[in-house]
């Protein structure tokens, strides 16, 4: 019994630390983006947020492990595509192709991601640290995605399309010739990813809408 209680306490301590660290990472992204946008325009946003964005988004890989290990109740079927998709955009598009970094869609992407994630990690940080979060924060956590999830997806797909012509001309990540005679065409692979993102959006959006209804209804009757 004591061992189980200790394990639970350690899990909560770890999740509390994780959520607060990533919260501050996304808060940096949001503040730096707003400052760059107001002072220098959308072309300066990526340079201002690159490092904290890469840190905060890459740290989210741990959430796949959290789901697999049962640290959280989020199903792997929704966690895996969301995290891997964002990692793909962060490293496979934004970091890899400078042409996408100065596009206006980069700004809408950063705004959508950062507002959503600041609220989400603040909510879970409060829950893990204090065992409770105020209703207004709960409502924001399960409502802002109604706006920012669609704008984020549109921005992601748009940035992929922006990068595609430069993939062909630069031949970046085209792995031929090589000693294994293994062919990899990044342009075709990215086309496949885009084709998966679009039909995946309704599934994830319906899941989040259903979860919102369930969570908010439970909070009102509590």
């Amino acid at each position: 019994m004591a061992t189980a209680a200790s394990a639970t306490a350690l899990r909560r301590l770890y999740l509390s630390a994780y959520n607060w660290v990533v919260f501050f990472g996304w808060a940096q992204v949001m503040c730096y983006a707003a400052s760059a946008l107001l002072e220098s325009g959308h072309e300066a946003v990526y340079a201002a947020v690159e490092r904290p964005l890469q840190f905060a988004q890459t740290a989210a890989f741990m959430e796949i492990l959290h789901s697999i290990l049962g640290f959280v109740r989020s199903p792997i079927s929704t966690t895996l595509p969301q995290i891997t998709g964002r990692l793909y955009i962060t490293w496979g598009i934004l970091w890899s192709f400078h042409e996408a970094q100065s596009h206006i869609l980069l700004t809408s992407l950063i705004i959508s991601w950062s507002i959503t994630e600041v609220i989400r990690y603040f909510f879970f940080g409060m829950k893990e640290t204090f065992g409770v979060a105020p209703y207004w924060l709960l409502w924001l956590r399960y409502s802002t995605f109604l706006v920012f999830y669609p704008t984020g997806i549109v921005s992601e797909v748009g940035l992929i399309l922006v990068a595609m012509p430069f993939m062909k001309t630069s031949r970046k990540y085209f792995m031929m010739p090589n000693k294994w005679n293994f062919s990899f065409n990044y342009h075709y692979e990215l086309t496949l990813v885009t084709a998966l993102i679009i039909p995946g959006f309704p599934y994830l959006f319906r899941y989040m809408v259903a979860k919102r209804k369930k969570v908010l209804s439970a909070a009102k009757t509590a």
Side-chain angles (χ1 to χ4, degrees), residues 1-15 71:
M1 198 73 170
T3 303
S6 298
T8 300
L10 285 173
R11 179 188 63 81
R12 287 194 63 179
L13 181 63
Y14 162 72
L15 289 175
F71 283 10

Side-chain angles (χ1 to χ4, degrees), residues 164 167-168 174 184-193:
M164 273 186 174
M167 287 172 208
K168 268 193 166 182
F174 280 62
F184 178 79
N185 189 312
Y186 193 56
H187 182 268
Y188 293 153
E189 190 265 346
L190 203 55
T191 303
L192 176 62
V193 170

Side-chain angles (χ1 to χ4, degrees), residues 151-195:
T151 57
I153 288 292
V154 169
S155 301
E156 289 175 24
V157 173
L159 287 167
I160 290 173
L161 296 176
V162 167
M164 273 186 174
F166 302 101
M167 287 172 208
K168 268 193 166 182
T169 56
S170 69
R171 297 190 62 81
K172 185 175 284 189
Y173 306 137
F174 280 62
M175 298 182 178
M176 281 292 285
N178 56 66
K179 64 180 180 181
W180 300 284
N181 201 31
F182 174 76
S183 176
F184 178 79
N185 189 312
Y186 193 56
H187 182 268
Y188 293 153
E189 190 265 346
L190 203 55
T191 303
L192 176 62
V193 170
T194 308

Side-chain angles (χ1 to χ4, degrees), residues 118-219:
V118 163
I119 293 169
R120 184 165 76 94
Y121 286 107
F122 184 45
F123 171 77
F124 285 117
M126 293 285 288
K127 286 275 287 184
E128 294 296 341
T129 304
F130 304 108
V132 66
Y135 180 79
W136 63 266
L137 185 56
L138 176 75
W139 187 89
L140 286 174
R141 161 70 183 96
Y142 290 100
S143 298
T144 51
F145 79 88
L146 294 168
V147 174
F148 292 118
Y149 188 56
T151 57
I153 288 292
V154 169
S155 301
E156 289 175 24
V157 173
L159 287 167
I160 290 173
L161 296 176
V162 167
M164 273 186 174
F166 302 101
M167 287 172 208
K168 268 193 166 182
T169 56
S170 69
R171 297 190 62 81
K172 185 175 284 189
Y173 306 137
F174 280 62
M175 298 182 178
M176 281 292 285
N178 56 66
K179 64 180 180 181
W180 300 284
N181 201 31
F182 174 76
S183 176
F184 178 79
N185 189 312
Y186 193 56
H187 182 268
Y188 293 153
E189 190 265 346
L190 203 55
T191 303
L192 176 62
V193 170
T194 308
L196 292 174
I197 289 175
I198 295 172
F201 166 73
Y203 167 74
L204 290 172
F205 193 76
R206 283 196 301 268
Y207 167 79
M208 291 188 290
V209 168
K211 188 170 183 180
R212 176 183 188 272
K213 183 177 180 181
K214 180 180 178 181
V215 170
L216 293 183
S217 296

Side-chain angles (χ1 to χ4, degrees), residues 34-69:
S35 177
L37 184 62
L38 292 173
E39 293 176 7
S40 307
H42 72 270
E43 296 90 349
V45 169
Y46 183 78
V49 305
E50 182 178 33
R51 294 306 181 199
L53 172 67
Q54 290 170 350
F55 165 77
Q57 195 58 74
T58 305
F61 178 80
M62 296 302 298
E63 293 172 35
I64 298 173
L65 299 180
H66 297 167
S67 182
I68 293 172
L69 297 173

